[in-house]
Amino acid sequence: METSDVKDRSPFTAYSWLVASFMLASGAAALIYQVTWARLLSLSIGSTSAAIAVVLAAFFLGLALGAWLSENIKTKQAKNIRHYLWLELAIGLTGLALLPILLNLDAFVTQWPNLATYTGFKFVLVMILIGIPTTCIGATFPVMVTLLSQQGHRTSLRLGQLYGLNTTGGVLGAALGGFAFIPNWGLDGSTYIAASLNFAIVIAGTLSTIFTRNETQIDNSPPTSNQSTTPGKNSFIDENLRKQALFVLFITGMVSLACEVSWTKYLAIYTHTTIYGFAAILSVFLTGIAAGAWIINHWLNRITRPQLWISSGLLALGASLILTQVGLNALPNIQETFFDTSSGTPLAENSKYFLVFVLLFAPTFILGGLFTLNLRIASGDTDSLSHPVGKAYAINTLGGIVGALGAGLWMIPQ
């Protein structure tokens, strides 16, 4: 049996558990920052759909830049865990440094009342403030994928697992940040918790000898001709299919962020609160995406007709979005029918979030599956990934920027 096969089929080693904990903690910290920064920025630039779009677009521009720059890490350098740990350290330090600046940003903005009315000024201001930490956040996932790939792990088959873990951490970060940390410990306490997660990753990675052992046991020998193949493997090699996958990643990124801005604005009106609506949408959104990534990961190596899966997924996504919109329009009536809202009980008061979860799960689940499938195709079909993940990840994120700005600045107002 090949060495790579042994590694791939032994997911419960100490090494795998440590990587999994890093992905979870990193995703949680990133979303705690996003929820906290959105709340802090809303105090100075507003909480309209345009303001939400600006914050999301700036956040995702940093992610895209980080994913794109991650390709510049040389193959030899990517084998060293220290590069990943430096990113986590930078996120924690800049997150803490930003806190006093964002807390006093409204005083700065009021000095230029005319400029503060321009969306472009707000975008540039937000991008300058959160550019460094978001760029580092965007680089963490592709750098970890590259690290594992260069250490001989069959990362092309584990993209769904890695992305699912990172997104699951995001679900925990968004939900706990919006509904527990900020209400109980404030915006500064939430920032301290997020930074503590980053620093915990750095400490654990520095003290652990697991990564050191893996770095010194890398097999750089070329693959043998009798290496085992699996069903569906050759279906991911076609270069034209890879270009199509990159296009689909851009389109689905655009759709996902346009929906996120729209749903956040809708839920803010429906629940009469912005911060809880934003946290709720993020939690539901990421839950569906994580579930879709986990499920599709079990089918990736069995797919022999990827174009059929992509086409079917896109059609299902369109249909689910239409049905979701119909359900959201009828949400008050649905809540009145199934829950006695006049009773004032916690169950009746929070039923709106449960109904939103039910309505949004299908489209977000499909988005998670489409993302993972197309990321696998765009990254190639070799055990070491024939194309960098960072480029594909960045293209999806750039699509998200277009979707966020398009929805917040044009589609919703129109």
Side-chain angles (χ1 to χ4, degrees), residues 350-364:
N350 295 316
S351 60
K352 59 175 75 75
Y353 297 111
F354 169 74
L355 293 173
V356 167
F357 175 82
V358 172
L359 289 172
L360 303 190
F361 183 79
T364 54

Side-chain angles (χ1 to χ4, degrees), residues 88-148:
E88 293 289 350
L89 179 62
I91 295 167
L93 292 175
T94 52
L96 291 176
L98 264 178
L99 181 59
I101 298 174
L102 294 179
L103 285 172
N104 298 283
L105 184 61
D106 54 340
F108 173 80
V109 173
T110 54
Q111 300 298 316
W112 290 276
N114 294 329
L115 283 176
T117 60
Y118 291 100
T119 302
F121 171 77
K122 294 179 181 179
F123 179 81
V124 172
L125 178 63
V126 174
M127 191 63 221
I128 291 173
L129 291 172
I130 67 175
I132 294 177
T134 53
T135 298
C136 294
I137 291 171
T140 52
F141 176 74
V143 165
M144 178 58 80
V145 171
T146 304
L147 170 69
L148 296 178

Side-chain angles (χ1 to χ4, degrees), residues 1-2 5 222-229:
M1 183 179 292
E2 295 294 328
D5 289 338
T224 58
S225 58
N226 61 349
Q227 188 171 356
S228 62
T229 58

Side-chain angles (χ1 to χ4, degrees), residues 117-203:
T117 60
Y118 291 100
T119 302
F121 171 77
K122 294 179 181 179
F123 179 81
V124 172
L125 178 63
V126 174
M127 191 63 221
I128 291 173
L129 291 172
I130 67 175
I132 294 177
T134 53
T135 298
C136 294
I137 291 171
T140 52
F141 176 74
V143 165
M144 178 58 80
V145 171
T146 304
L147 170 69
L148 296 178
S149 175
Q150 295 302 323
Q151 290 188 353
H153 293 265
R154 299 181 65 189
T155 318
S156 60
L157 302 181
R158 287 188 160 189
L159 282 174
Q161 293 177 356
L162 292 170
Y163 183 70
L165 284 166
N166 199 231
T167 309
T168 301
V171 173
L172 296 173
L176 292 174
F179 293 97
F181 298 157
I182 293 177
N184 290 301
W185 295 293
L187 296 167
D188 50 351
S190 298
T191 303
Y192 298 147
I193 292 172
S196 297
L197 290 173
N198 297 130
F199 297 148
I201 292 173
V202 175
I203 294 171

Side-chain angles (χ1 to χ4, degrees), residues 95 120 186 219 265 305 307 347 355:
D219 182 10
K265 185 60 178 176
R305 300 177 64 187
Q307 285 147 319
L347 176 62
L355 293 173

Side-chain angles (χ1 to χ4, degrees), residues 51-74:
I52 294 172
V54 165
V55 173
L56 284 175
F59 190 90
F60 276 80
L61 180 58
L63 298 186
L65 182 62
W68 197 277
L69 292 176
S70 69
E71 290 191 33
N72 293 327
I73 296 179
K74 296 179 181 180

Side-chain angles (χ1 to χ4, degrees), residues 193-386:
I193 292 172
S196 297
L197 290 173
N198 297 130
F199 297 148
I201 292 173
V202 175
I203 294 171
T206 302
L207 297 179
S208 174
T209 60
I210 296 174
F211 285 103
T212 305
R213 290 201 303 269
N214 277 271
E215 288 165 11
T216 57
Q217 295 175 0
I218 300 170
D219 182 10
N220 288 320
S221 59
T224 58
S225 58
N226 61 349
Q227 188 171 356
S228 62
T229 58
T230 50
K233 186 172 184 177
N234 293 330
S235 61
F236 291 91
I237 296 177
D238 184 76
E239 185 65 23
N240 290 328
L241 180 59
R242 178 176 175 269
K243 293 178 181 178
Q244 293 172 18
L246 292 173
F247 177 73
V248 173
L249 283 171
F250 180 85
I251 295 298
T252 52
M254 183 170 61
V255 169
S256 64
L257 264 291
C259 290
E260 184 175 335
V261 172
S262 303
W263 292 338
T264 299
K265 185 60 178 176
Y266 174 84
L267 197 58
I269 296 172
Y270 184 56
T271 61
H272 308 292
T273 175
T274 301
I275 184 60
Y276 290 125
F278 185 66
I281 288 296
L282 277 177
S283 302
V284 173
F285 201 89
L286 294 175
T287 298
I289 288 179
W294 279 110
I295 297 300
I296 195 66
N297 185 70
H298 295 291
W299 291 89
L300 281 179
N301 212 41
R302 307 175 192 176
I303 294 176
T304 57
R305 300 177 64 187
Q307 285 147 319
L308 178 62
W309 280 67
I310 294 172
S311 301
S312 301
L314 291 173
L315 289 172
L317 176 62
S320 66
L321 287 173
I322 294 173
L323 293 175
T324 297
Q325 189 58 45
V326 172
L328 288 174
N329 290 334
L331 189 57
N333 294 330
I334 295 174
Q335 187 182 16
E336 288 288 344
T337 301
F338 293 97
F339 299 92
D340 183 11
T341 55
S342 62
S343 64
T345 62
L347 176 62
E349 288 296 321
N350 295 316
S351 60
K352 59 175 75 75
Y353 297 111
F354 169 74
L355 293 173
V356 167
F357 175 82
V358 172
L359 289 172
L360 303 190
F361 183 79
T364 54
F365 178 88
I366 297 170
L367 280 168
L370 282 171
F371 174 84
T372 305
L373 173 59
N374 285 280
L375 183 65
R376 163 75 187 279
I377 295 171
S379 302
D381 194 52
T382 61
D383 291 344
S384 59
L385 299 179
S386 55

